[in-house]
Amino acid sequence: NAHHNMVFTRVRLKNGKGGSRWKKGHSAASNPATSKHRQAVKGSLRSSKIFRKVAGDSLLTEENVTLHGVAAVDDEDKTLYSQSTTSTCYSFIETAHPIFHKVKKLWTSSLESHQEVCAVLAAVSEVVKSSNGKETETEYFAALLSALQSAEEEPSVTAILFLLNVIMPEINSAVLQTKFTEVSKLLLDILMRYERSSCTTLLKSLVSCSLVLLSAQTRSVWAEESTLHFLQVIASYSTDTKPKVRKATHEGLAHMIQSGLRCSDDVIIHPAAMPLAKFCLNQFEQGGTGTLHILNLLKETLAHMPSQLVKRLSEKVLKFMSLGNTLVKSQCLQALHGLFLHSTAPQGLTVTLNGQLISALYDYQPNVSDVQLVGAWAVVMETAHLRIMKFDEGITTLAHLPKLFKVLMRMLMSPSPGTRDIICSSLKSLIEHCLQGNSDSKAVRTCFRSVVAGLSYQYRSVWEHVLQALGYFYCYLGNSHYSIMSESLRSLCELRNTAGFPCVDQLDKTFSEAITNIGPQKVLESVPLHLDPGSDSCNDWVLLIMRDHVRSAELSYFVNHLLPIAMTLRKQGDELANQNPTKAAMYRTLYTQMWDLLPAFCTSPRDIMQSFNLIARLLGEGLKEQAVLRPIICRSLRLLIDTSSESAEDTAELSRYSKNYLPILFNIYTKDSTTADSKSFILDCLRSYACIADSLLLENSVTKICSRFMDESTTNEMKFRLVELLTVLCGRVGVALLGQLYQTVVCPWVKDEDGSRQKKGYLLLEHLSACSSPALEQFLQDHVHSIQELLLGTTTTVRAASRRLRMKCIHYLVGHVMPLNVDLLRGILPEVILSVKDRKEKTRQLAISVLLDIGHSYDKDLIGEYLQLVVAGLAGSAHMISATILSLIRIVYVFHDLIPDAMVGELVKTVGVLLTSKCKEVVKSSLDFMKVIIGVLDKQEILCHVDSMVGAVFLWDKQFQQHFHFKARVILERLIKKLGYELVEGLVPKQHKKLIVHIHKMVTKQQKKRDQSKVDKGSKILKIHKPSYEELLTDDGMDSSKHHGSWIREDDDPTDLMDPTALHRILASRPVTSKPIQNEFITSEDGKLIVEDIKAEQAVAMESKKRKRKDDNESSMKTERVGSNKKQRVAPNPGSQYRSEIALGDMKRSGLPDPYVYIPLNRQSLNKRKQNKMTGRYGALLKGGHSGWYKGRKQFVSRSRKMRCKLKNKSVS
């Protein structure tokens, strides 16, 4: 109102007719002076019938109810709002039965109907509580019935019925059966009284209550005439003009009819189904718009009616489908779909009637172009066949399926993509549930041929969907009906080899289904490979599909059929190496692709025991002689070992060849020619084979490696590789040999100052400490003291590259040695604390894990002693202090419940003192500590330390004010949210009062937005959880709901991220640019620069002129300029299209403007102040044009003179 008055006042003042003005200083006021709507709400609450009834000696007084009305409409008066929430009226609603939790949301609503509901609920709650009952649903039901009998005004009746609708579904059916006569008469009287009412809520609640009451009755009650009359009255509202009333009637009737299977007297069909079906037939006879509403009702109820009436209603529905109305046809199809979908027993819809409906629906199939009905018809037919398949065991279904597949393939030509997707989904469902597992190959063959016919040219627009349907056949029926699918595979192969085939990706997916389910052997019998490079019949694309989709195949097929082809390809490539190198390279590529199939055949093969001996020797020769095959063979061996772990026989067969493969792999790995890329897969293969190899063989291998390691002639590079081999094999050798490795390799190399040797030593020590086998666990128990001394003695010599591995060793040692002695703890803690600030993320995480493991090893009462050891790090350097504070943050976050309050206070005071440090990293860590402390401690615990916290925030050095002022604001914001503004404001110094006031305003604004969003989305029960460590450390600012991104401000020069000043270019808000960045270079779509070659362009232009393709060539030379908002097609060299091929000047081109300089018209050129400037610019243009003309004229004269001399010489001769 204020806004409209303000606009009106401005208009009056503009016209000079006077009008009311704002008072000085009140132009921003938004509260209107009048409150007639509020008074109306108050009056309605005072005049409530329920209120007058309980107003005697009741605590629910008029003043209390009035407070609620005022609070609901006046959000500005905070004091009045706080009084209303504590009023007696609200207390009755708040303590009402939990079933009324939805009603409690209406307390703050300003609608009159909602206020009436709250008043009624408060009155009823007081009546129930005053009777000293148990406050059950039945007591509330009785109280509401009593109130309903005495209610006379429509708002009160509406409110009572609304509450009855909430509670009646929870009432015991025995209570509803006992009170049926009384309640039904009362509801029927109210229904007759308000049958012409315009209140939708009243009628909706009344119908819902009546249907809940009817649903609870037994069969004997339904035999009475009064019950059927009551049902007829309620059912008449299924065609009501009010959508909400109609919807409530449909839902209630459907729930009542569907509950017939759950009746106590085991009645399958509900007694109300017969009269309801007759009611629907009568409505069909009357016609009109009620027909659509009845069809909508039948979607949920037709399936639960008697079979004789189902037939009559189905005939009526089919009759309506003959009408030309699309909406009626759609409703009829939905009704039939509900009939087939919800029929859970053969009593209502018999198998015979189901088959008759299927046959009848073919007479009503829509046109292919009718996209609204084609999909619906296909879904109805799919549901009908699935239903008859369920009760007829497929006998009748298979007779109907071939015809349906033909019709669906014809409908697949629909112009709507959505309709085609629906039909594809129907085909998939029919293939999966009706054809799969059926032995009738004739029906399957007919259906499959109908789909294969879609590969013809007339279906070219829907080939993708046809291929998808073929994939379903291969997936579900490929293994059992392969004989009828071989011809289709050849057709797919021909389409794949056709140039320009548009659906290559979908065809590959379909073919992959055939490879996976039919098997590679049968597929390749129908589609031979014909691996001849350059041939049109070469099916090399099949190799790529087989590589990714062959699973659980027979290894013998690869050995007996595919390997000979690979050998032939290699032989042909060797023969053509000198004659035709290009074709020889193609053969070698095909040879490698054939070997690429081996890992697929080694994935869960079915014949390892029978076939591995056929290929074992060949794999060993390939490892030794062909480096290109080593990754493939190693991966194949790993897959064989991993996938055969479930079969002991297969594992034993593979283990039998470990004595052959391990030496070969050792020799390959220790060769100088082995690259870093090949080392990884060889180690992986050795690790897998070491798990199944004989332990005696592994010990002999380790012994030989150790002897070679101790040889003085062995180079450092070779020793590094030998140590890597030992890390793989150490898990399966004996304890004595492990001790020898520790003494001869680990100890010397860990103490070595060379960084590479030290790193390898820690790598081996990490594997020895991992306890991944019983032997390693026993070794660690025997050498734990020696390892402790080794780690403590090498603290000062460790290199940065070895720190992560060393931290892993400490982690394993801490987990194994429990409890830790104080000497070990004091020795490793400084290093662990410093590692918390290591440059590498993995090292930091390992250090934090060690700190927490040590904390968990202490008893709950002794955690303070552990903190005392950690706090000692605060006496070190600035870097050590920062790392110690970060360590304390993690320890406090995890163990804050076990730390004494006195120690927490000392930590807060100590960290507060450190905030005055001159070191930036110490101040940053201290602020993070404050944020975590506020997040993990309770309100009462923070109150003990809030003085020191707030004081410490404002005591830091001024030089860091620019860096960390935002972190300080976050700390104050969290304190305000947790303790309240008044408390925190009183502790803030006077010079910072403005800051705390601003923070409070932002927090209040943010809370208002959050509350408003909850009201808009509806209240939800939020689970209170402990904030994560990362959430506590985030600088969420004033509005944590927003996503805080980062932007880089770019100028004309590119940003150098290595420059120390680059940090100043990072912004928290998106920078506003006045103009889009223009890229001066011409780039392609993928960002590559386009380098111009003028001579090449001229040559191309000459060639294009000879071939008369000049226009096409010019268009191909154009490219897109990247960087502007609009994509512009520009030539790579402006003016090049006018350049002459035989002269140096420009030429006129047909269809293009003349090759002159065009000056754009600009209104600023008429400015007299810029007259000299504009004249000078035009003068420069004219001068340039004159010089160009003079140069061209001079060349023309020179060429003319030479031409005359040539002609003169010819004439003389």
Side-chain angles (χ1 to χ4, degrees):
N1 292 335
H3 176 68
H4 292 297
N5 291 336
M6 182 176 63
V7 175
F8 175 75
T9 302
R10 289 177 180 174
V11 174
R12 293 286 299 273
L13 290 175
K14 185 176 180 180
N15 294 334
K17 297 181 181 180
S20 60
R21 290 178 175 270
W22 294 110
K23 294 181 180 180
K24 185 176 181 180
H26 293 270
S27 59
S30 58
N31 289 330
T34 59
S35 58
K36 60 179 182 180
H37 298 290
R38 303 181 186 183
Q39 298 298 329
V41 173
K42 297 176 187 178
S44 64
L45 288 173
R46 296 190 186 96
S47 61
S48 173
K49 179 70 176 179
I50 299 300
F51 174 77
R52 292 200 301 268
K53 181 179 178 181
V54 299
D57 298 330
S58 171
L59 295 175
L60 193 64
T61 61
E62 181 177 358
E63 290 77 10
N64 291 331
V65 178
T66 306
L67 281 178
H68 170 233
V70 175
V73 296
D74 192 356
D75 293 335
E76 299 297 329
D77 194 346
K78 300 298 181 180
T79 305
L80 192 58
Y81 180 77
S82 62
Q83 293 176 1
S84 66
T85 55
T86 57
S87 64
T88 308
C89 179
Y90 182 75
S91 65
F92 281 122
I93 297 177
E94 186 67 24
T95 59
H97 197 278
I99 198 173
F100 295 110
H101 68 279
K102 294 183 179 180
V103 181
K104 297 175 184 178
K105 301 177 184 178
L106 307 179
W107 173 257
T108 57
S109 176
S110 59
L111 295 179
E112 181 180 353
S113 58
H114 292 174
Q115 300 298 320
E116 188 71 25
V117 171
C118 292
V120 171
L121 180 58
V124 171
S125 298
E126 189 199 11
V127 171
V128 173
K129 293 178 186 298
S130 62
S131 62
N132 297 325
K134 298 181 180 180
E135 300 185 24
T136 60
E137 296 91 342
T138 305
E139 294 179 359
Y140 276 93
F141 175 63
L144 288 171
L145 283 180
S146 301
L148 184 61
Q149 291 174 355
S150 59
E152 298 177 357
E153 299 179 358
E154 183 174 339
S156 301
V157 174
T158 304
I160 297 172
L161 287 173
F162 178 82
L163 294 174
L164 274 175
N165 187 29
V166 173
I167 202 170
M168 279 190 68
E170 305 298 329
I171 301 298
N172 192 357
S173 58
V175 177
L176 296 178
Q177 292 170 8
T178 304
K179 293 289 185 179
F180 173 70
T181 304
E182 178 184 352
V183 177
S184 61
K185 184 177 183 304
L186 176 61
L187 294 179
L188 194 58
D189 292 341
I190 297 174
L191 193 62
M192 295 303 174
R193 189 195 316 169
Y194 296 106
E195 61 179 348
R196 299 184 181 277
S197 174
S198 60
C199 183
T200 303
T201 305
L202 187 149
L203 295 177
K204 177 184 174 182
S205 303
L206 190 58
V207 169
S208 299
C209 293
S210 302
L211 290 173
V212 171
L213 181 65
L214 288 172
S215 300
Q217 306 311 311
T218 60
R219 187 175 183 180
S220 58
V221 177
W222 281 103
E224 299 178 3
E225 190 68 26
S226 59
T227 307
L228 298 179
H229 173 68
F230 191 22
L231 176 65
Q232 291 291 331
V233 174
I234 299 300
S236 63
Y237 284 92
S238 60
T239 59
D240 194 81
T241 56
K242 300 180 180 62
K244 291 185 178 180
V245 177
R246 190 168 62 246
K247 181 181 178 181
T249 308
H250 290 178
E251 291 178 352
L253 289 173
H255 181 268
M256 180 178 64
I257 298 299
Q258 293 171 4
S259 64
L261 297 177
R262 298 188 296 272
C263 286
S264 58
D265 47 1
D266 297 330
V267 178
I268 297 177
I269 302 298
H270 197 278
M274 182 75 73
L276 182 61
K278 293 180 179 179
F279 170 78
C280 295
L281 289 172
N282 293 334
Q283 291 294 323
F284 282 153
E285 295 295 336
Q286 295 177 9
T289 56
T291 302
L292 291 175
H293 304 325
I294 297 300
L295 289 173
N296 195 17
L297 173 63
L298 290 178
K299 287 192 298 185
E300 303 291 337
T301 59
L302 183 57
H304 305 282
M305 292 182 177
S307 56
Q308 63 272 20
L309 292 175
V310 169
K311 184 176 181 181
R312 293 179 58 188
L313 288 170
S314 301
E315 291 174 353
K316 289 288 185 181
V317 171
L318 291 175
K319 182 179 179 181
F320 288 132
M321 287 188 66
S322 61
L323 302 177
N325 194 325
T326 303
L327 181 59
V328 174
K329 289 182 179 180
S330 177
Q331 290 289 339
C332 292
L333 289 174
Q334 291 182 28
L336 293 176
H337 179 257
L339 171 63
F340 296 127
L341 183 64
H342 299 123
S343 294
T344 56
Q347 285 79 5
L349 177 61
T350 61
V351 175
T352 304
L353 181 58
N354 196 342
Q356 292 174 353
L357 287 176
I358 290 175
S359 301
L361 281 172
Y362 284 108
D363 298 333
Y364 301 99
Q365 56 179 303
N367 196 306
V368 177
S369 59
D370 193 350
V371 295
Q372 296 182 359
L373 298 179
V374 169
W377 188 90
V379 173
V380 170
M381 294 297 286
E382 170 202 344
T383 313
H385 284 78
L386 294 179
R387 199 263 176 190
I388 199 173
M389 180 75 184
K390 181 179 179 181
F391 297 106
D392 196 35
E393 298 180 356
I395 299 175
T396 309
T397 307
L398 294 178
H400 290 284
L401 279 178
K403 184 178 180 181
L404 178 61
F405 268 76
K406 290 181 180 178
V407 175
L408 290 180
M409 288 303 297
R410 190 164 57 250
M411 289 183 173
L412 198 61
M413 298 292 291
S414 172
S416 172
T419 304
R420 295 197 292 266
D421 293 338
I422 292 174
I423 294 174
C424 266
S425 178
S426 300
L427 289 173
K428 176 186 177 182
S429 183
L430 292 171
I431 295 169
E432 180 181 3
H433 298 98
C434 297
L435 292 179
Q436 187 181 13
N438 248 296
S439 57
D440 190 358
S441 58
K442 182 178 180 181
V444 175
R445 182 182 292 106
T446 307
C447 296
F448 184 73
R449 286 178 178 174
S450 300
V451 177
V452 173
L455 295 177
S456 59
Y457 187 73
Q458 62 179 347
Y459 287 89
R460 63 189 180 278
S461 60
V462 293
W463 267 343
E464 186 173 356
H465 295 83
V466 174
L467 292 171
Q468 193 174 352
L470 279 177
Y472 299 145
F473 268 102
Y474 295 145
C475 178
Y476 298 112
L477 303 173
N479 194 20
S480 57
H481 296 81
Y482 162 71
S483 58
I484 65 176
M485 300 180 183
S486 57
E487 187 64 30
S488 65
L489 292 174
R490 286 189 283 271
S491 301
L492 291 180
C493 185
E494 293 176 1
L495 288 174
R496 182 62 170 75
N497 293 328
T498 303
F501 182 69
C503 304
V504 174
D505 293 339
Q506 184 59 49
L507 191 146
D508 290 346
K509 292 180 182 179
T510 303
F511 207 86
S512 66
E513 293 289 347
I515 292 289
T516 304
N517 297 280
I518 297 176
Q521 182 176 355
K522 295 179 180 179
V523 171
L524 292 182
E525 289 177 359
S526 302
V527 184
L529 292 175
H530 296 303
L531 298 179
D532 184 14
S535 175
D536 294 337
S537 60
C538 180
N539 297 325
D540 52 349
W541 54 273
V542 178
L543 298 178
L544 301 178
I545 298 177
M546 291 177 62
R547 181 194 63 187
D548 299 331
H549 296 90
V550 170
R551 296 292 182 273
S552 302
E554 294 181 357
L555 190 59
S556 59
Y557 180 74
F558 180 83
V559 177
N560 299 327
H561 295 82
L562 299 181
L563 268 185
I565 299 175
M567 297 304 175
T568 304
L569 292 171
R570 181 185 178 186
K571 183 179 179 181
Q572 292 175 347
D574 295 340
E575 293 175 353
L576 296 174
N578 297 326
Q579 301 175 4
N580 192 347
T582 303
K583 196 166 186 179
M586 294 180 181
Y587 277 112
R588 285 193 293 270
T589 302
L590 291 174
Y591 170 72
T592 307
Q593 289 180 353
M594 291 295 295
W595 271 97
D596 279 336
L597 301 178
L598 180 59
F601 280 90
C602 291
T603 304
S604 303
R606 301 191 297 265
D607 56 344
I608 293 180
M609 285 289 297
Q610 298 79 14
S611 304
F612 185 71
N613 58 345
L614 303 176
I615 197 177
R617 182 176 180 180
L618 189 60
L619 294 180
E621 293 177 354
L623 283 173
K624 291 187 291 186
E625 299 174 0
Q626 303 185 50
V628 69
L629 299 181
R630 286 172 186 170
I632 300 172
I633 296 175
C634 288
R635 184 187 173 201
S636 302
L637 291 174
R638 285 173 47 214
L639 289 171
L640 281 173
I641 295 170
D642 295 341
T643 57
S644 64
S645 58
E646 298 179 358
S647 175
E649 297 179 353
D650 293 344
T651 304
E653 177 68 15
L654 295 173
S655 177
R656 194 162 61 89
Y657 292 91
S658 59
K659 62 181 182 296
N660 304 106
Y661 287 124
L662 288 179
I664 295 174
L665 294 172
F666 290 157
N667 294 333
I668 295 172
Y669 193 79
T670 54
K671 283 183 179 179
D672 295 336
S673 59
T674 305
T675 60
D677 296 336
S678 60
K679 288 168 61 177
S680 60
F681 62 77
I682 294 176
L683 275 181
D684 292 339
C685 185
L686 279 171
R687 189 176 291 106
S688 297
Y689 238 115
C691 297
I692 64 171
D694 183 47
S695 59
L696 183 60
L697 175 64
L698 293 177
E699 288 187 359
N700 294 334
S701 302
V702 171
T703 304
K704 293 179 181 179
I705 293 173
C706 287
S707 61
R708 189 174 179 183
F709 179 85
M710 298 301 296
D711 190 358
E712 296 180 356
S713 62
T714 305
T715 61
N716 277 339
E717 182 64 27
M718 183 59 63
K719 288 184 178 181
F720 293 159
R721 300 192 180 192
L722 293 177
V723 171
E724 292 171 354
L725 290 176
L726 290 174
T727 58
V728 174
L729 304 177
C730 65
R732 293 288 308 282
V733 299
V735 179
L737 192 54
L738 291 175
Q740 182 182 351
L741 287 176
Y742 176 74
Q743 296 296 334
T744 58
V745 180
V746 174
C747 290
W749 278 37
V750 166
K751 297 177 182 178
D752 200 319
E753 294 184 358
D754 182 69
S756 301
R757 288 192 173 202
Q758 191 182 98
K759 185 176 181 180
K760 295 299 180 184
Y762 278 113
L763 179 64
L764 184 55
L765 179 60
E766 175 206 344
H767 285 80
L768 293 177
S769 306
C771 298
S772 58
S773 66
L776 290 175
E777 188 173 355
Q778 182 63 39
F779 162 78
L780 189 58
Q781 291 179 0
D782 298 341
H783 296 78
V784 61
H785 297 293
S786 176
I787 295 175
Q788 291 180 21
E789 295 176 359
L790 178 64
L791 292 176
L792 293 176
T794 56
T795 303
T796 58
T797 59
V798 64
R799 298 298 183 92
S802 307
R803 197 173 300 280
R804 181 182 64 85
L805 296 173
R806 177 182 171 86
M807 196 55 55
K808 268 194 173 183
C809 298
I810 295 176
H811 189 202
Y812 291 141
L813 185 65
V814 169
H816 186 76
V817 182
M818 291 295 176
L820 294 173
N821 57 61
V822 179
D823 295 335
L824 176 62
L825 195 56
R826 288 177 177 173
I828 65 174
L829 260 183
E831 182 181 359
V832 175
I833 291 174
L834 285 174
S835 298
V836 172
K837 291 203 68 175
D838 195 83
R839 293 184 297 108
K840 298 180 180 179
E841 174 68 21
K842 292 183 179 179
T843 306
R844 295 196 298 269
Q845 295 298 328
L846 284 171
I848 292 171
S849 300
V850 172
L851 287 173
L852 297 182
D853 289 345
I854 296 174
H856 287 297
S857 66
Y858 274 84
D859 294 336
K860 295 182 179 179
D861 300 335
L862 302 177
I863 196 69
E865 298 180 3
Y866 176 46
L867 271 180
Q868 291 291 345
L869 295 175
V870 177
V871 169
L874 296 177
S877 62
H879 187 73
M880 185 66 180
I881 294 173
S882 177
T884 303
I885 295 174
L886 293 178
S887 303
L888 287 173
I889 290 174
R890 273 304 181 113
I891 296 173
V892 171
Y893 175 77
V894 177
F895 303 104
H896 63 91
D897 295 333
L898 308 177
I899 302 175
D901 294 339
M903 184 168 288
V904 173
E906 292 295 330
L907 286 176
V908 172
K909 292 179 181 178
T910 305
V911 174
V913 173
L914 292 174
L915 277 172
T916 60
S917 173
K918 301 293 184 180
C919 182
K920 184 188 297 183
E921 60 177 339
V922 174
V923 176
K924 182 179 181 299
S925 302
S926 302
L927 290 173
D928 290 339
F929 179 85
M930 291 294 182
K931 288 193 291 186
V932 174
I933 281 290
I934 295 171
V936 298
L937 296 185
D938 297 334
K939 182 178 179 179
Q940 298 299 327
E941 296 174 342
I942 296 178
L943 284 174
C944 302
H945 318 295
V946 65
D947 298 342
S948 55
M949 285 184 183
V950 176
V953 170
F954 296 101
L955 288 178
W956 57 9
D957 198 285
K958 293 185 178 180
Q959 62 176 331
F960 303 134
Q961 191 172 5
Q962 189 66 23
H963 291 88
F964 302 124
H965 70 282
F966 193 76
K967 288 182 178 291
R969 290 176 59 178
V970 172
I971 293 174
L972 293 174
E973 176 190 347
R974 293 181 180 180
L975 285 174
I976 291 173
K977 289 181 179 179
K978 204 150 195 175
L979 304 178
Y981 170 70
E982 291 78 6
L983 178 62
V984 179
E985 192 268 342
L987 301 174
V988 175
K990 293 183 179 180
Q991 60 269 29
H992 300 290
K993 291 292 185 180
K994 291 184 179 180
L995 175 62
I996 198 67
V997 170
H998 172 70
I999 294 175
H1000 175 56
K1001 288 182 179 179
M1002 294 297 103
V1003 171
T1004 306
K1005 184 177 180 181
Q1006 178 184 350
Q1007 186 64 33
K1008 283 185 178 180
K1009 289 182 179 180
R1010 190 181 295 112
D1011 295 341
Q1012 184 62 33
S1013 63
K1014 288 181 180 180
V1015 173
D1016 296 339
K1017 297 179 182 179
S1019 60
K1020 296 182 180 179
I1021 300 176
L1022 300 178
K1023 297 182 179 179
I1024 301 176
H1025 65 282
K1026 179 182 177 181
S1028 65
Y1029 178 76
E1030 291 75 14
E1031 290 174 351
L1032 293 177
L1033 286 183
T1034 54
D1035 296 332
D1036 50 5
M1038 295 300 165
D1039 191 1
S1040 59
S1041 62
K1042 295 183 180 180
H1043 173 70
H1044 298 283
S1046 298
W1047 287 264
I1048 297 179
R1049 186 183 72 251
E1050 292 185 346
D1051 299 329
D1052 296 336
D1053 298 331
T1055 302
D1056 184 8
L1057 298 179
M1058 299 299 293
D1059 189 358
T1061 61
L1063 186 62
H1064 301 293
R1065 294 177 176 263
I1066 299 177
L1067 306 176
S1069 59
R1070 186 165 189 160
V1072 180
T1073 56
S1074 57
K1075 294 183 179 180
I1077 299 175
Q1078 298 289 338
N1079 194 353
E1080 298 180 357
F1081 302 98
I1082 301 173
T1083 58
S1084 59
E1085 294 181 355
D1086 55 354
K1088 296 179 180 179
L1089 291 176
I1090 298 177
V1091 181
E1092 305 170 5
D1093 190 351
I1094 300 177
K1095 294 183 179 181
E1097 292 175 1
Q1098 293 179 356
V1100 170
M1102 288 287 293
E1103 188 68 20
S1104 63
K1105 182 178 180 181
K1106 294 179 181 179
R1107 298 182 180 180
K1108 297 182 180 181
R1109 295 180 179 178
K1110 183 172 183 179
D1111 296 337
D1112 296 338
N1113 194 13
E1114 288 179 355
S1115 62
S1116 65
M1117 290 168 60
K1118 296 179 181 179
T1119 182
E1120 290 187 1
R1121 184 180 299 275
V1122 180
S1124 59
N1125 291 335
K1126 297 182 179 180
K1127 294 185 177 180
Q1128 301 175 355
R1129 308 294 291 186
V1130 297
N1133 188 10
S1136 61
Q1137 60 268 35
Y1138 298 102
R1139 188 175 295 115
S1140 175
E1141 292 83 3
I1142 59 175
L1144 297 180
D1146 294 334
M1147 298 180 61
K1148 292 185 179 182
R1149 301 293 186 185
S1150 60
L1152 294 175
D1154 293 342
Y1156 302 129
V1157 177
Y1158 292 90
I1159 301 173
L1161 297 177
N1162 189 357
R1163 192 174 61 181
Q1164 293 183 357
S1165 61
L1166 302 177
N1167 195 335
K1168 294 182 179 181
R1169 294 181 300 169
K1170 299 181 180 180
Q1171 184 175 4
N1172 295 331
K1173 179 180 177 181
M1174 302 306 297
T1175 304
R1177 188 171 68 173
Y1178 294 149
L1181 290 175
L1182 294 174
K1183 183 178 179 182
H1186 180 74
S1187 61
W1189 171 85
Y1190 179 75
K1191 183 178 179 181
R1193 178 65 180 173
K1194 185 176 180 180
Q1195 292 177 354
F1196 175 76
V1197 172
S1198 177
R1199 285 196 301 269
S1200 300
R1201 187 182 297 110
K1202 291 179 180 179
M1203 185 63 67
R1204 285 196 299 270
C1205 292
K1206 289 181 180 180
L1207 294 176
K1208 184 177 181 180
N1209 294 334
K1210 287 183 179 181
S1211 62
V1212 172
S1213 62

